[in-house]
Every structure is written in structure tokens, then in C-alpha cells.
Amino acid sequence: MRTDPEGHGPVRFGPPLPDDGLPVLPELTAVLAAAAARPRAEPVGGGPPLLEAACAFTARRGLPADPDHVAAAPGAPSLLLALTAALGGDVLVPRPCAAWWAPYARLLGRPVFHVATPAECGGVPDPYALLETVRRVRAEGGDPRLLVLSVADDPTATVAPPEVLHETVEAAAGEGLHLVSDETWRDTVHAPQETVLLSPAEMLPDRVTVVTDLAGGLLPAGWPAAFARFPANGGDGLRARVLDILTALGASVAAPVAAAAAYALTEPEPVTARRTAAGHLHARVAAAAHSVVVGAGALCRPPRAGRHLYVDLGPLRPALTAQGVGDAQDLEDFLTARLGMPAPGGHRFGDDLGALRVRLSTGPLLGGSDEERAECLTSPAPLELPHVQRALITLESVFDDLRDDAQRWEPPR
């Protein structure tokens, strides 16, 4: 992979989680400010208020836990790093996957193997491809032990159907793999009344660790906090090893952020109301963006969760080739400049560099100021707001130009 221009290396440039683009909730700011004067540091792994709030949070989602089987850290990446180090062995991830999963394994010197996903969704490996990959790696002397997956997925914005997930979990269990389920986006499902979302921990309780980054739906991305729920049976030793590694890293949640996280995890009305409103807003904007890119001839699964969509511009390759775009890095540079917003290429998510895929976030489409973005939350018709319309028109203009150029470059029949 190329490492120029400066800042575009595979590790030095890591696209962040898609931001919601919204002003910080005042109630969260008040809790954080009130805790800012506390002199004591938060214990590594989290103090009792944070852990108890996390346990209640998971219990409300059908995953009961006690504080001895939960650990908090300053963001999900530090938890995944510690889990990877504690479990040992090689790591399996779907292709594509969240941009931050593979680099942490590679930093530890662990091989990472990407596994194809089924046609229905991203986030989880196809069960047959998983079995084939595990057996091939073992035949070549490898030691696959850890599978990382996400039911509500970044980057594809899909939600894995329960039957697909069940087959994958069964295949992983049969091969003795430990699963890490990244459930950061589970509370950002666009149509919760119409979507069945199950956690792998409900299917394989003794071999699944659930990781949740609060930046998904509860805290601003700049206030890093996450927690892991370890298996009730057999998770004690794993949690202890993870805490040892977090201690060595000095990876504790900042005390004011821990207070805000504990408050948010109790899901008081202001937090749940904001999460619901933000979810509805991003669902509408994502649907509009999806309509634009598909209308221009690109391929894209309908977004079902999160604040993003994953677009395959392969059908528009002739037009992009004429613009000097030959791979995902070129596409990233091209769309970032044309759209005026980050557009990380699919190679950031483990996809082939030669594939013309890109993740687009909906947050930048909400406006350029806190006032404009806040107005999106309260408007009964956010897509009709002038600043949102301008952003969508820009998106449409760029993709329609590519469609028109691609049609001109088509060979005559």
C-alpha cells in the first residue's frame, strides 16, 4: 500500500468512527463539568459506578452481567488491543471491517486474515468462507484463535440477519474460536421496530466478549469511553489478563468522562431522546444519500444502522479512470476534494486497493455550524433545510457527473 502523501499511511491515517455531527447534549456537559474538579483518577478497568451502569445497560439488552465480568477503557481500540494480546494466536475479521480492527493485531505482530462476507450483509464472515479460511490457515501452520465481527456494521451500515449470524457463530464455535462482538452501533438501527438484532453472546455465551464504544450512540467521539462484557463462564481469567494489559498501557478512562459515561449508560430521558432523534435524522439523510449514489449507477446496500454508507463505484470506473482514479486511494483523494468531506477508501477497511469502494458519512451533510446541525434535530423536515439541501445537491452533482461521464465512455453496442 502506498504511504504518500504524508498522513495517508495504513496506520498513520485511520478514519475515525462516523461522528453524529451534532452539538454535545447539555446534560452530558453538565455531568462532565461537575466531575472535573475531582482529584482522583478512575481505576483501570473502571470504578463501581461505571461498571454497575454498564451491567445494567447490557442487562436491558438481554445480556446480564455483574461488575466482575465487565471492564471499561478509553475507547474500544484499547480493549481490542488488550483482548488480542491476552488471547494470542491469529486474528480473523470480515472483509470489509472497521478500520481500527486489523492495525491493533498487526502492531502486536499477529497475522490478520480477512474472510469474505455473505451477500446479505457485511460485518460477519460467510460461514463456509470462515471454515475454509480457518482450515487453510491451520494447514499452513497458523493458529487462528480470535474472530472479530459486528452485527450492526461499520463500514457497510448493514445488520446481519439472525439466521446468517447463527450459521457463522456455529461455524466459529465448531473451530474453537473466541469471538469479539463489536456492538458499538447496535443502538443506531434505523428501523428498530422492523429489525431483529441479536448478539452473538446470546447464541454462544461462553465464548463471546462484547465490546461497546460509547461513541456509537451515547457520548461524543472526543470523550473516549468503552466497555467489554466478558463471558460469565470462563471469562474471569481473560478479564484479569485484559486488566493487566490495560494497566501496563495506563489505559484508564478519564474521571470526568467516566462520570459522563456512567450517567449516559443509565439511559436517562435526555440521553435516550437525543439518541432516538439522532437515529431518525441520520436514517433519513442516509436514505437520501443512498438514493443519490444508486441513482448515479453506483452499488450500495441500503443503510440499516449507523451514520454512514458503503459505496462501490465499480460501475463508474470508466469515468473515474478518465479522471486519473485507478484505485481506492485515488478515489479517496478524488471524492474528498470534490465533496469537501472525508471519504475514506475501502482499502482502509481491509478491502482490495484495486476495488473502487468508499465509506461516506452522513454527519458532514448536516451543516457547517452547531446551529445548523442543531436545527436538523428539531426540524420536522430536515432534508428540506437549505444547508442539508445544498450538501445533498453537491453529492448528487458529483455522482451524476460521474454517471454521465461513464455513459459517454461506454463502447457502442
Side-chain angles (χ1 to χ4, degrees):
M1 180 183 297
R2 70 186 76 188
T3 58
D4 63 307
E6 182 66 25
H8 279 192
V11 173
R12 285 177 290 134
F13 177 82
L17 294 177
D19 197 342
D20 69 2
L22 299 170
V24 179
L25 191 66
E27 288 83 356
L28 286 175
T29 302
V31 173
L32 183 124
R38 297 177 187 173
R40 294 182 180 176
E42 184 78 0
V44 171
L50 178 54
L51 298 184
E52 289 168 6
C55 290
F57 180 86
T58 64
R60 289 192 292 273
R61 285 149 183 80
L63 298 173
D66 61 67
D68 290 338
H69 290 92
V70 176
S78 55
L79 284 169
L80 184 58
L81 175 67
L83 281 161
T84 305
L87 287 164
D90 302 340
V91 180
L92 301 163
V93 296
R95 183 192 300 275
C97 68
W100 54 274
W101 288 0
Y104 289 92
R106 294 193 180 107
L107 285 174
L108 293 168
R110 302 287 167 72
V112 178
F113 297 93
H114 290 267
V115 186
T117 55
E120 299 94 321
C121 62
V124 301
D126 175 87
Y128 300 103
L130 176 64
L131 291 173
E132 180 183 349
T133 302
V134 169
R135 291 164 187 170
R136 173 177 58 82
V137 171
R138 286 180 176 150
E140 295 172 354
D143 182 21
R145 296 188 197 176
L146 173 61
L147 169 64
V148 188
L149 48 73
S150 56
V151 180
D153 185 46
D154 170 26
T156 65
T158 59
V159 176
E163 60 274 15
V164 173
L165 179 65
H166 189 268
E167 291 179 2
T168 298
V169 168
E170 278 196 334
E175 297 298 331
L177 302 177
H178 188 93
L179 277 66
V180 171
S181 176
D182 178 8
E183 301 190 3
T184 295
W185 302 103
R186 71 168 294 156
D187 289 328
T188 66
V189 172
H190 295 172
Q193 303 303 320
E194 304 168 14
T195 306
V196 178
L197 189 154
L198 293 179
S199 168
E202 298 177 67
M203 303 176 180
L204 193 65
D206 293 342
R207 299 192 69 87
V208 178
T209 298
V210 174
V211 171
T212 302
D213 197 306
L214 274 61
L218 294 176
L219 290 183
W223 300 6
F227 69 89
R229 174 195 179 270
F230 298 89
N233 297 324
D236 296 342
L238 178 58
R239 179 180 184 269
R241 296 196 299 276
V242 165
L243 288 177
D244 283 343
I245 295 164
L246 293 176
T247 300
L249 295 172
S252 61
V253 183
V257 174
Y263 169 76
L265 285 166
T266 63
E267 299 183 283
E269 192 278 334
V271 170
T272 56
R274 164 61 73 87
R275 185 177 60 203
T276 299
H280 289 159
L281 171 62
H282 284 282
R284 297 172 76 173
V285 176
H290 178 263
S291 178
V292 166
V293 300
V294 171
L299 303 175
C300 182
R301 293 187 183 102
R304 303 297 187 198
R307 306 185 281 258
H308 51 284
L309 57 161
Y310 196 61
V311 187
D312 184 346
L313 283 82
L316 304 178
R317 186 179 287 274
L320 289 163
T321 300
Q323 296 282 353
V325 175
D327 60 26
Q329 179 62 71
D330 294 335
L331 180 63
E332 176 182 299
D333 296 338
F334 175 81
L335 286 180
T336 296
R338 292 294 182 94
L339 296 174
M341 57 184 270
H347 61 305
R348 308 293 182 188
F349 309 99
D351 246 333
D352 292 333
L353 179 62
L356 297 179
R357 299 186 184 116
V358 66
R359 186 189 72 186
L360 300 177
S361 298
T362 51
L365 302 175
L366 302 182
S369 68
D370 283 349
E371 291 75 18
E372 288 180 343
R373 293 188 286 266
E375 188 179 5
C376 292
L377 273 176
T378 57
S379 172
L383 299 183
E384 297 177 11
L385 293 172
H387 51 277
V388 177
Q389 281 192 333
R390 285 194 299 270
L392 290 172
I393 288 171
T394 298
L395 182 70
E396 185 173 16
S397 175
V398 170
F399 275 83
D400 283 355
D401 285 348
L402 289 174
R403 177 199 60 201
D404 295 343
D405 289 347
Q407 290 173 350
R408 281 194 291 271
W409 280 93
E410 283 183 355
R413 296 181 179 178

